């Protein structure tokens, strides 16, 4: 189907569960909607090796339930769906294609770090493979790295080979609050540099006050969280506490990466710029959640203030609009105006993998 569409000069929209169709703004109206919902099998679950092979249309929540039955997990925890949409609709292919992630990224990395191999379909009809459990690789290209976060602009992910991890027996979270962005950022830096082996290290900010959240697992997570809380107190935070009933805290962090009525801007900057990002958000009445040690923040803001936010961010910070109300999406440039060597390199990769320009054309940065 993909090859025929490309040969006929038709644009194809590649999609999974449809939970992130509002990300990016396609500049070409697709003629064909190609959905992975019917390729949705867990092909292999190698319990002893802590690996699995998943077809792209497998619902992420379904795969996690199967892994949990064996005391394992795929160490990703992105928000499964936008508020108000069908629960748990996100697929593994869509999560990898958009590079979506949650608080566990602090310890385990992004989707690209957990994918061992991948099978993809290209717009000329070729099925290509790379990585583990394959016979032949595509010489010179790491498909898993290229296709992760490419928004389906290079081709269609058919299946992924993933690395699994043991499911923690229990967790506990230390948290502390402050009304000063500098104090909050300093506390986050102190935890990031301490030998704590945290599962997650997040920040939250709204209405002039924020907090640092640090999740522990492993042997005696409560005791480890108490040691972490002591460091938060030493860093000058108040309302410091520990809870083992922490699921709601982390669900609130994940839900802060989505918005139904406002825009969510994903800001990438060095962790040292965290306080500046919080001040910029506060000046515009925006809320923030993010990965304190990784320099990834999600700013929930009124769409009309996106330009002001971009202007207020530290030099070198990237700002990509993810969620936005449907009525304003078409007028937004989600990626910001970007040109230069990096975009030219990406255009060259696009031309190599999809010379017909059939796969999600115009959706990615630089109109790729």
């Amino acid at each position: 189907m993909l090859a025929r569409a490309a040969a006929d000069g038709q644009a194809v929209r590649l999609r999974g569960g449809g939970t992130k169709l509002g990300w990016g703004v396609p500049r070409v109206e697709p003629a064909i909607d190609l959905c992975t919902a019917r390729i949705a099998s867990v092909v292999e679950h190698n319990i002893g090796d802590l690996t699995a092979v998943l077809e792209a249309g497998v619902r992420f929540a379904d795969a996690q339930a199967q892994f949990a039955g064996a005391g394992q997990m795929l160490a990703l925890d992105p928000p499964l769906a936008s508020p108000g949409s069908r629960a748990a609709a996100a697929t593994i292919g869509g999560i990898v294609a958009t590079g979506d992630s949650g608080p566990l990224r602090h310890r385990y990395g992004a989707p690209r770090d957990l994918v061992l191999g991948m099978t993809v379909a290209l717009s000329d009809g070729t099925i290509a493979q790379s990585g583990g459990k394959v016979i032949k690789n595509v010489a010179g290209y790491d498909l898993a790295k290229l296709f992760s976060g490419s928004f389906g602009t290079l081709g269609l992910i058919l299946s992924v080979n993933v690395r699994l991890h043991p499911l923690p027996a229990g967790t506990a979270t230390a948290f502390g609050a402050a009304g000063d962005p500098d104090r909050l950022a300093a506390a986050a830096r102190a935890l990031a540099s301490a030998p704590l082996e945290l599962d997650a290290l997040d920040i939250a900010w709204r209405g002039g006050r924020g907090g640092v959240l640090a999740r522990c697992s492993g042997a005696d997570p409560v005791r480890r969280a108490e040691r972490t809380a002591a460091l938060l107190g030493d860093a000058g935070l108040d309302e410091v506490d520990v809870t083992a009933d922490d699921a709601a805290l982390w669900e609130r962090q994940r839900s802060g990466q989505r918005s139904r009525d406002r825009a969510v801007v994903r800001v990438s900057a060095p962790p040292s710029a965290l306080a500046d990002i919080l001040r910029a958000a506060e000046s515009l009445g925006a809320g923030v959640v993010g990965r304190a040690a990784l320099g990834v923040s999600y700013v929930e803001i009124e769409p009309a203030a996106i330009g002001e936010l971009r202007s207020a961010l530290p030099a070198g910070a990237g700002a990509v609009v993810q969620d936005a109300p449907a009525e304003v999406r078409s007028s937004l440039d989600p990626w910001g105006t970007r040109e230069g060597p990096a975009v030219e390199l990406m255009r060259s990769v696009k031309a190599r993998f999809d010379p017909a320009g059939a796969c999600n054309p115009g959706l990615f940065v630089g109109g790729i």
Side-chain angles (χ1 to χ4, degrees):
M1 290 177 65
L2 192 54
R4 286 200 302 269
D8 293 340
Q10 295 178 310
V12 182
R13 179 169 63 182
L14 309 178
R15 54 165 291 182
T19 64
K20 293 177 274 290
L21 289 180
W23 290 17
V25 179
R27 304 303 177 188
V28 178
E29 188 66 26
I32 296 174
D33 200 69
L34 194 55
C35 177
T36 61
R38 297 288 293 275
I39 49 172
S41 298
V42 178
V43 179
E44 297 180 26
H45 178 197
N46 305 303
I47 296 175
D49 293 335
L50 285 164
T51 62
V53 179
L54 310 175
E55 289 185 330
V58 172
R59 288 192 173 196
F60 180 74
D62 295 340
Q64 287 288 54
Q66 177 171 329
F67 301 149
Q72 299 175 354
M73 67 174 181
L74 177 54
L76 295 171
D77 61 339
L80 290 183
S82 299
S85 60
R86 291 173 299 141
T91 64
I92 185 63
I95 288 170
V96 172
T98 56
D100 199 13
S101 63
L104 287 179
R105 181 173 176 176
H106 172 81
R107 178 171 183 177
Y108 297 101
R112 69 196 302 268
D113 302 304
L114 297 172
V115 175
L116 302 172
M118 184 178 288
T119 302
V120 301
L122 306 181
S123 61
D124 64 356
T126 299
I127 293 180
Q129 298 173 314
S130 76
K133 300 184 70 65
V134 300
I135 297 172
K136 182 180 179 181
N137 291 333
V138 178
Y141 293 101
D142 185 337
L143 292 185
K145 295 294 191 290
L146 282 176
F147 275 67
S148 297
S150 68
F151 278 63
T153 56
L154 301 180
L156 177 64
I157 296 174
L158 298 177
S159 68
V160 292
N161 309 340
V162 294
R163 182 197 317 276
L164 305 178
H165 287 83
L167 187 67
T171 62
T173 295
F175 55 90
D180 176 16
D182 289 298
R183 193 149 41 104
L184 204 67
R189 286 196 301 273
L191 293 194
S193 60
L196 298 172
E197 296 186 4
L198 300 172
D199 282 13
L201 176 59
D202 258 30
I203 56 95
W205 181 274
R206 186 174 296 277
R209 193 162 177 79
V212 175
L213 301 90
R215 191 174 200 177
C216 304
S217 63
D220 199 352
V222 172
R223 181 174 58 84
R224 296 182 63 223
E226 288 171 345
R227 290 205 311 267
T228 303
L231 292 177
L232 290 175
D234 292 343
L237 299 196
D238 51 40
E239 299 181 26
V240 175
D241 205 349
V242 168
T243 180
D245 185 16
D246 60 358
L249 288 176
W250 293 102
E251 180 58 33
R252 188 156 60 244
Q253 287 298 104
R254 287 189 291 272
S255 65
Q257 297 177 211
R258 302 285 193 269
S259 180
R260 184 189 304 173
D261 303 317
R262 306 177 86 197
V264 173
V265 180
R266 183 182 185 274
V267 176
S268 301
S272 58
L274 177 58
D276 293 332
I277 292 169
L278 297 181
R279 277 191 287 268
E282 176 65 18
S283 70
L284 297 169
V288 182
V289 299
R291 317 289 92 88
L294 304 180
V296 179
S297 302
Y298 298 86
V299 182
E300 185 183 11
I301 194 169
E302 292 297 332
I306 290 174
E308 292 179 76
L309 175 66
R310 281 176 163 152
S311 298
L313 292 174
V320 175
V321 181
Q322 291 191 335
D323 281 350
E327 61 270 18
V328 300
R329 281 181 200 149
S330 60
S331 61
L332 289 173
D333 178 0
W335 308 99
T337 302
R338 295 190 188 180
E339 290 295 336
V343 174
E344 287 306 311
L345 178 59
M346 286 189 280
R347 288 196 178 109
S348 297
V349 173
K350 167 75 169 177
R352 171 65 180 83
F353 281 86
D354 180 26
C359 300
N360 286 354
L363 187 67
F364 202 49
V365 60
I368 294 172

